[in-house]
Amino acid sequence: MESRAAGDGSVTAAEIVVDLLARAGVREVFGVAGSTIMPILDAIADDDRIRYVPARYEQSAADMASGYARASGRLGVVMTHVGPGATSCLTTMVAAGREGVPLLLLTGNEESATLVREPYHDWGLAQVMPALVQFSQRVHQPRDLPHVLRRAFGQAARAVPQPVHVDLPEDVALTRVPRAEAARWYADVQPVADELASPVRLPVSRPAPRSRDVARVAELLAGATSPLLVLGEAVRWSEDPQAVYRRCAELGIPYASTHGGRGGIGAGPWHVGSVGRFGSQAATAMLGAADLVVALGAEISDVDTVGWRSLPGDGGSLVLVHPDARKLDLRVAPDIGVVTDIGEFVAALAGELGAHELAVQPEWLARAEATDGSDGQLGDGQRPLDAELVERVLGSVPDSWAVAVDPGFGSLTLTSGLRVGGPFLYPFGFGYMGFAVPHAIGAVVSGAVEGAVAVLGDGAFFMSMAAVESVASLRVPVVLLVLDDGGFGSQRQKQREGYGRNFGVDYENPDIAAVAAALGLEARWVDDQADIDDVCTALPGRAAGMLIAVRRAKAHEIAWYEGSAQPDAVTARAD
Amino acid sequence: MEVVMATVADALVDAFARAGVTTVFGVVGTSTLDVADAIARHGTVDFVSARSEEAAAHMADGYARATGRVGVVLCHVGPGALRQLYGVGTAWKDSVPLVALTGNEVPRMTDTAMREGYHVVDVRALYRPVTKATLRLDDAADPYVVAARALWLATAGRPGPVLVDLPKSALKQECAAAPDPPMPAAQVPASRPRPGRAELTALADALAGASCPVVYAGGGVHWSAASDALVALAERANLPVLTTDGGRGAVPEDHPLALGVIARQAGDAVARQLLADADVVLAIGTPLSDVSTFEWTGWSPQCRVFQVDVAAEPLRKGVFTTTPVVADARACCVDLTDALRSRCPQDWRARREQLEVERAGYLDGAGEGDLVDPWHVLRALRDRLPRGSFVSVDSGMHSYFGKKLPVHASGTYIRSAGFGAMGYSFPALLGAVEGVPDRRGVAVVGDGCLAMCLGEFETAARRKSPVTVVVFNDGAYASQRSHQRRRFDGRLTGTSFLPTDFAKIADAHGVTGWTVVAPADVDEVIAAALGAEGPNVVDVHVDPDVTPATWVEGSGDARVAGAG
């Protein structure tokens, strides 16, 4: 019926969508098939420029696209069916907005004429989407397409990139228009049509700071006795993040990262690790003890500051430098706020600081040098096997691999102090479970990394089993480290501390390696050091995925994890 | 040992327990630890953990459908609430009475919520389109009042989901237990409005004067517990009864006056013909949506359609009916039974026989090929499934087969009729059997659907749920593949995947799993599975080339099909 070989010089709206995506540099589209997006899927099939990556659940598809965008810095695209399919993407879209991820959700919809009567599958999604994403638009007629996609790409390419949504009813997608007419629509959006013909530029612009702002910050920094730079998530949107890290290392001032800013920073003497509820204890204590904190592309959230408690104290100052003006007073009011690209700012700051003597105290530098990130938060010198496994595996993979971490007791504490040379993927703003595996897949599919490690607990494993299947069926080098403590370890600890009993947090897990094997994935348990040696030797250069499971004690006496007594710990360390 | 003071969380749990809530489904998170602990302290409420929030909501939904009681689900802030939304949306579309409790951060300007803290999202705004109300237990609110209001709103009028947002700060506050707080019953219906006298007369006159009257029953009959009253009405006045997909079981499907199911997907041709022949349709408890009316083309232009619903809102949503009647389904059936003095002179037996021939026709010759014919599996299930068992059917090609399993009682058909949520039927069935544990159920699912809820094998094993999951495994999103075959010149893109070994996955969970590849094994394995205790899985590798005759293409072609 809707034959693509029409031979009459016409194209469908769906084909126009695919053409516009391809012109915008989209090379991969993730999705789950459904009748309302069938026209687009069919158009992709015949277009050599775009590869379709099928997932087994829309949650998984959206997370793969998000991982793709986070690792590569390119626009991630996910395509789903109306109603339930689109609903399954909401968590990812909210997280993308919170965490600055360029993501396009393309949803099919029922026929336009039925929508007013709330047809099968449909609910008021159109009402809530605008609140969740930067831009949400239904396409009412084919000729709107160049405009709608131009806007979507433009709104995705903010100073800090954002998620966007385009809804395409099936009847619109199937509408045929003469090629000549479609060409005129393209021409209508000149000069943007030319821009559409090249990859979406992310971010859209990289403004430099005012020299007066740079001078003020440089002056403050030069006069500070215990200053700390904090690198955040927006560093990645500078032209050359590595140049930012290099310059920071050369300033002679201690620098940390937030959880959103982790990954690829390298090890220098003044790098103190990551701060926050899930970060290094020593680094977080320095955040509270500093007389000046300069946050570079970091939002300084409740997580980074352990619920706002670890901020410069009396007499201390806070400088927030961020490309997105909206972020400057979102959480805390800074003494100075500067809107600028981080690369531009650091380059200017380095130049300006050259003219100053630094007042930073030797004791402060010594304190920075003494941090090793690990903090000994595992306590008594007895290194559990799970900690050993995570550290050894992350140490064995090259910097060309990404590390994706799920929120959870084990995965967060065991990775908190470890250096990550490649992209570090973590839902630092929204903290949703089931994140790591599909994000690792997306990172690998993007080609930005050669492989990826996903660190997760059993709770996350059971929430993302559809993605585990995809590791096997897509044959991607994603290595899953599953820390199995039979339930929700973080909730277990909080209950033990606050309620004196465990309830609703213990599960009766099956043999997770056997489950993974049943899903078609090579899988094994690690029971001793020799097993760890085995898996680490074989890791670099792996072409296929695998799952490595390790048993983890149900109870941990760990002082350093969000709930437990950390304000005191911070204070104690800060004194 | 210090004295444990009662908190707001304790009072909230006490309020739900007093209203008759005995089971809460959920996934525990930091923001809901106080409620979880209060449930543990209270001792009379069973907490059923799921492995993901959407599954927890589906379980509460299945529980509500099976019992007529309010399903209660408890989830964490932000991501938990967002995942739960999928299940709440399913409940919304099918008018399922549900109370969704979500934890939240402290809603004060000085604290995390207002600074876009970790996890936080505007849950109430998100839930507004899929709930009857979004409530919040504020610091000063009385938890008994909030619980009573949530339960009342979930059950009153058209049932549906209600969100109660629970800020952490409120839950920890001390709260004296109310001595005897007034609480509504946590079950539907909350009230039974009767039809107005003039409207009743109009309905009775229309039915009495019709040459081909039809009663068309939707899910509202279940929520009103009106099945026996509907059967009495039909028998008294000799009225044939059709049901929507969501209304299945409103009359036992082997009743002589049960003339089939109207559905865009997998309905009965006999039913469709009857609807087309009707001159008066009495629609009870259905919003007359696109799927239950072939996109509003199911009856002749001359047909007069009367619509009865317990709430005004669903009336005239899909169809601008001339005589909308606000009344409880049961009350309406009872009053009409009294008001109708005449019996319809039509003899419906021929149509009933045609329906039986139609249904038997699907099964003719099934099992003769080398590959397993899906109809063969269906016949094996139909022949062995005890009357009154739960039947749960997911969304996809397999549903065209699965929906041909007979449904004999109200509340035993567990299906996402309005949302068409994939991955629904297995967790929803787990919830249904929590409500009626001595009744076994079967879930007919596709391999695409089951891949979306694999985590719940662990729940089924932990709860020893009496369920049989029958997987129609064809390595594809088969309904989508059929679209591609028919509408896209057979270009197959993105609709196939590598085969998944569900029996092996089940086995890894300690759930008995069978793989069936040979037609000769079908009957024996189905018999063994249905006869066993606890959960099991039958993974049937079905012939991927069998497309049911009732398969219609999606919305793009429904009008074409509807005209036929």
Side-chain angles (χ1 to χ4, degrees):
Chain A
M1 194 177 319
E2 290 86 15
S3 167
R4 304 220 25 247
D8 61 355
S10 67
V11 289
T12 63
E15 289 168 309
I16 296 175
V17 170
V18 172
D19 181 52
L20 288 169
L21 290 175
R23 283 163 174 255
V26 173
R27 295 290 168 263
E28 276 88 13
V29 170
F30 299 85
V32 175
S35 60
T36 56
I37 50 160
M38 208 53 88
I40 301 176
L41 194 56
D42 191 58
I44 288 177
D46 282 352
D47 198 312
D48 294 340
R49 296 170 295 176
I50 294 185
R51 170 187 169 209
Y52 175 67
V53 184
R56 295 297 295 269
Y57 195 0
E58 288 86 354
Q59 285 180 354
S60 182
D63 279 346
M64 287 183 200
S66 167
Y68 177 100
R70 287 172 197 249
S72 69
R74 301 200 302 272
L75 180 71
V77 181
V78 55
M79 178 170 82
T80 74
H81 196 29
V82 60
T87 306
S88 290
C89 298
L90 290 182
T91 308
T92 309
M93 297 306 282
V94 169
R98 184 66 63 82
E99 300 169 14
V101 180
L103 200 57
L104 167 64
L105 169 63
L106 191 57
T107 53
N109 210 331
E110 304 291 344
E111 285 203 13
S112 310
T114 69
L115 292 175
V116 73
R117 300 204 256 195
E118 202 181 289
Y120 187 53
H121 286 319
D122 182 45
W123 62 283
L125 189 67
Q127 295 168 44
V128 300
M129 279 311 270
L132 301 182
V133 297
Q134 191 66 40
F135 174 79
S136 175
Q137 181 69 47
R138 176 169 296 154
V139 179
H140 296 287
Q141 51 176 350
R143 66 166 303 139
D144 293 347
L145 273 170
H147 291 281
V148 170
L149 284 174
R150 172 188 70 80
R151 282 279 283 156
F153 296 145
Q155 292 297 301
R158 309 279 288 198
V160 170
Q162 286 290 296
V164 293
H165 168 228
V166 173
D167 187 48
L168 188 66
E170 194 180 1
D171 55 316
V172 179
L174 289 171
T175 306
R176 280 199 166 275
V177 292
R179 273 181 202 281
E181 197 182 333
R184 275 201 301 281
W185 301 341
Y186 280 46
D188 280 351
V189 291
Q190 291 284 9
V192 188
D194 296 332
E195 204 170 288
L196 279 177
S198 57
V200 176
R201 183 181 159 167
L202 293 168
V204 67
S205 168
R206 295 197 174 92
R210 294 191 305 178
S211 49
R212 196 174 55 180
D213 286 338
V214 179
R216 284 170 71 201
V217 177
E219 204 171 306
L220 270 177
L221 262 178
T225 56
S226 44
L228 183 70
L229 306 176
V230 180
L231 297 165
E233 70 288 345
V235 173
R236 80 181 59 162
W237 299 114
S238 59
E239 185 88 46
D240 181 2
Q242 283 302 325
V244 173
Y245 305 140
R246 225 168 26 242
R247 286 211 162 92
C248 283
E250 288 163 6
L251 289 178
I253 295 169
Y255 59 103
S257 74
T258 62
H259 235 52
R262 278 184 79 182
I265 294 181
W270 316 127
H271 182 216
V272 301
S274 64
V275 297
R277 246 154 73 167
F278 316 132
S280 132
Q281 192 168 357
T284 310
M286 287 182 73
L287 181 64
D291 67 344
L292 173 66
V293 170
V294 178
L296 300 168
E299 295 182 7
I300 304 300
S301 71
D302 52 331
V303 172
D304 305 326
T305 58
V306 195
W308 323 112
R309 287 172 285 228
S310 189
L311 277 171
D314 290 343
S317 305
L318 175 66
V319 175
L320 288 186
V321 182
H322 208 283
D324 184 353
R326 207 182 65 88
K327 304 287 189 188
L328 287 190
D329 69 345
L330 182 63
R331 275 70 182 263
V332 285
D335 297 283
I336 300 176
V338 186
V339 177
T340 169
D341 172 75
I342 302 304
E344 295 284 341
F345 182 83
V346 172
L349 181 70
E352 186 78 23
L353 264 184
H356 290 274
E357 263 320 298
L358 294 186
V360 57
Q361 297 280 312
E363 298 78 28
W364 184 249
L365 292 177
R367 186 166 165 183
E369 209 162 2
T371 60
D372 63 355
S374 68
D375 293 325
Q377 70 263 55
L378 296 164
D380 53 6
Q382 218 14 338
R383 274 182 75 67
L385 201 66
D386 51 356
E388 179 85 12
L389 174 71
V390 172
E391 181 167 347
R392 292 277 308 280
V393 166
L394 262 54
S396 301
V397 297
D399 288 356
S400 56
W401 278 46
V403 174
V405 174
D406 234 284
F409 197 28
S411 44
L412 281 169
T413 53
L414 298 189
T415 57
S416 71
L418 301 178
R419 179 184 162 274
V420 175
F424 177 80
L425 311 180
Y426 177 74
F428 59 90
F430 205 47
Y432 62 110
M433 290 173 71
F435 172 95
V437 179
H439 274 78
I441 296 171
V444 172
V445 169
S446 79
V449 293
E450 288 169 1
V453 178
V455 187
L456 60 155
D458 56 299
F461 176 84
F462 287 99
M463 280 193 191
S464 52
M465 282 172 76
V468 177
E469 193 277 343
S470 291
V471 173
S473 60
L474 295 173
R475 297 182 211 290
V476 281
V478 168
V479 174
L480 282 65
L481 302 184
V482 180
L483 316 170
D484 179 9
D485 65 358
F488 297 157
S490 56
Q491 307 308 321
R492 199 182 277 137
Q493 161 133 346
K494 288 171 199 167
Q495 286 185 332
R496 205 169 43 244
E497 291 174 353
Y499 302 86
R501 95 180 90 201
N502 284 141
F503 182 73
V505 296
D506 290 312
Y507 291 84
E508 294 172 17
N509 283 352
D511 178 333
I512 283 174
V515 172
L519 286 161
L521 196 60
E522 181 187 337
R524 61 168 295 169
W525 285 94
V526 161
D527 293 317
D528 53 31
Q529 289 287 341
D531 288 349
I532 295 179
D533 294 343
D534 263 9
V535 299
C536 288
T537 313
L539 270 186
R542 265 198 81 85
M546 79 174 297
L547 176 141
I548 302 163
V550 63
R551 287 180 187 83
R552 180 175 161 77
K554 279 199 170 190
H556 282 263
E557 295 308 327
I558 296 176
W560 186 242
Y561 181 77
E562 43 172 317
S564 56
Q566 75 279 52
D568 300 338
V570 170
T571 313
R573 296 290 288 256
D575 287 344
Chain B
M1 188 76 201
E2 74 268 271
V3 179
V4 180
M5 298 298 294
T7 64
V8 166
D10 289 309
L12 188 71
V13 172
D14 184 49
F16 281 114
R18 283 170 188 262
V21 172
T22 57
T23 306
V24 173
F25 301 86
V27 178
V28 169
T30 313
S31 60
T32 53
L33 288 177
D34 290 292
V35 180
D37 198 60
I39 291 172
R41 272 204 295 274
H42 196 276
T44 69
V45 177
D46 193 11
F47 184 76
V48 181
S49 302
R51 296 304 303 230
S52 73
E53 289 85 356
E54 67 269 33
H58 289 331
M59 288 176 192
D61 166 308
Y63 176 91
R65 292 179 203 247
T67 61
R69 288 149 73 182
V70 176
V72 181
V73 55
L74 173 70
C75 291
H76 191 31
V77 63
L82 268 169
R83 292 180 74 129
Q84 182 189 254
L85 181 68
Y86 185 82
V88 173
T90 305
W92 167 254
K93 291 288 278 187
D94 287 350
S95 304
V96 179
L98 206 69
V99 172
L101 304 170
T102 52
N104 211 335
E105 299 295 337
V106 183
R108 283 194 284 265
M109 202 60 203
T110 49
D111 217 306
T112 306
M114 294 299 159
R115 301 197 220 181
E116 285 193 18
Y118 192 57
H119 282 324
V120 176
V121 66
D122 187 348
V123 171
R124 295 174 76 195
L126 262 172
Y127 271 69
R128 219 154 269 145
V130 289
T131 50
K132 293 183 71 184
T134 59
L135 309 179
R136 187 169 69 191
L137 183 60
D138 286 313
D139 286 5
D142 182 334
Y144 289 95
V145 172
V146 172
R149 180 126 185 86
L151 289 168
W152 174 254
L153 287 169
T155 54
R158 177 197 177 204
V162 173
L163 176 81
V164 184
D165 195 39
L166 303 172
K168 275 197 294 202
S169 56
L171 294 170
K172 285 188 184 298
Q173 291 179 11
E174 286 179 15
C175 178
D180 192 13
M183 293 296 297
Q187 65 180 53
V188 289
S191 70
R192 295 191 181 278
R194 293 174 58 180
R197 276 177 300 171
E199 290 164 4
L200 184 66
T201 306
L203 293 184
D205 288 351
L207 286 172
S211 62
C212 187
V214 168
V215 178
Y216 188 25
V221 173
H222 302 311
W223 301 124
S224 167
S227 179
D228 53 349
L230 174 63
V231 170
L233 168 66
E235 288 175 350
R236 162 75 72 89
N238 190 35
L239 300 173
V241 182
L242 304 177
T243 69
T244 64
D245 188 27
R248 291 190 61 195
V251 289
E253 290 183 352
D254 51 0
H255 190 281
L257 288 168
L259 286 185
V261 181
I262 296 289
R264 187 167 77 190
Q265 299 163 327
D268 297 307
V270 168
R272 182 167 191 167
Q273 188 58 52
L274 177 58
L275 189 64
D277 292 343
D279 60 349
V280 170
V281 170
L282 172 60
I284 304 178
T286 163
L288 297 175
S289 72
D290 53 335
V291 285
S292 52
T293 62
F294 306 102
E295 302 200 1
W296 309 288
T297 63
W299 45 75
S300 77
Q302 290 74 38
C303 179
R304 284 190 294 158
V305 180
F306 296 85
Q307 193 181 4
V308 179
D309 203 287
V310 72
E313 182 270 327
L315 295 170
R316 293 184 161 176
K317 184 157 103 183
V319 179
F320 198 85
T321 47
T322 47
T323 310
V325 179
V326 174
D328 167 63
R330 185 184 185 84
C332 184
C333 289
V334 168
D335 287 358
L336 260 181
T337 306
D338 290 343
L340 274 172
R341 296 285 163 225
S342 59
R343 280 177 65 79
C344 175
Q346 282 253 21
D347 185 347
W348 306 108
R349 277 177 298 186
R351 290 192 196 247
R352 174 71 208 177
E353 279 158 23
Q354 272 177 31
L355 179 63
E356 276 161 22
V357 169
E358 179 187 346
R359 286 177 174 169
Y362 297 124
L363 309 180
D364 278 352
E368 288 171 4
D370 294 334
L371 299 174
V372 176
D373 183 338
W375 290 120
H376 182 186
V377 182
L378 197 81
R379 187 175 61 205
L381 280 170
R382 189 202 60 180
D383 291 349
R384 289 170 180 80
L385 196 63
R387 204 183 147 81
S389 300
F390 285 115
V391 171
S392 186
V393 182
D394 221 297
S395 291
M397 182 65 85
H398 63 278
S399 73
Y400 289 81
F401 305 103
K403 285 202 263 182
K404 295 300 175 190
L405 280 177
V407 178
H408 293 125
S410 185
T412 61
Y413 182 59
I414 310 295
R415 174 166 156 79
S416 170
F419 202 40
M422 288 175 73
Y424 164 85
S425 65
F426 174 36
L429 181 62
L430 295 178
V433 296
E434 290 289 340
V436 190
D438 55 352
R439 185 182 299 163
R440 198 173 175 83
V442 61
V444 175
V445 301
D447 47 350
C449 295
L450 194 54
M452 294 183 180
C453 54
L454 290 172
E456 304 315 318
F457 278 117
E458 190 273 339
T459 304
R462 176 166 30 89
R463 300 296 296 187
K464 301 181 177 59
S465 310
V467 300
T468 293
V469 179
V470 179
V471 194
F472 283 40
N473 193 338
D474 55 10
Y477 298 119
S479 60
Q480 307 310 319
R481 191 177 52 191
S482 286
H483 281 292
Q484 291 177 331
R485 283 190 176 140
R486 294 191 188 190
R487 298 167 58 202
F488 296 92
D489 291 349
R491 289 182 299 275
L492 305 183
T493 310
T495 48
S496 301
F497 29 81
L498 293 176
T500 309
D501 189 341
F502 293 103
K504 196 170 169 189
I505 296 168
D507 193 53
H509 286 84
V511 170
T512 310
W514 288 273
T515 304
V516 176
V517 293
D521 297 335
V522 169
D523 294 271
E524 193 183 329
V525 170
I526 293 285
L530 294 179
E533 291 185 353
N536 52 47
V537 174
V538 182
D539 182 9
V540 190
H541 293 213
V542 294
D543 184 344
D545 293 323
V546 177
T547 301
T550 52
W551 189 82
V552 293
E553 296 175 24
S555 55
D557 280 359
R559 273 192 318 262
V560 179

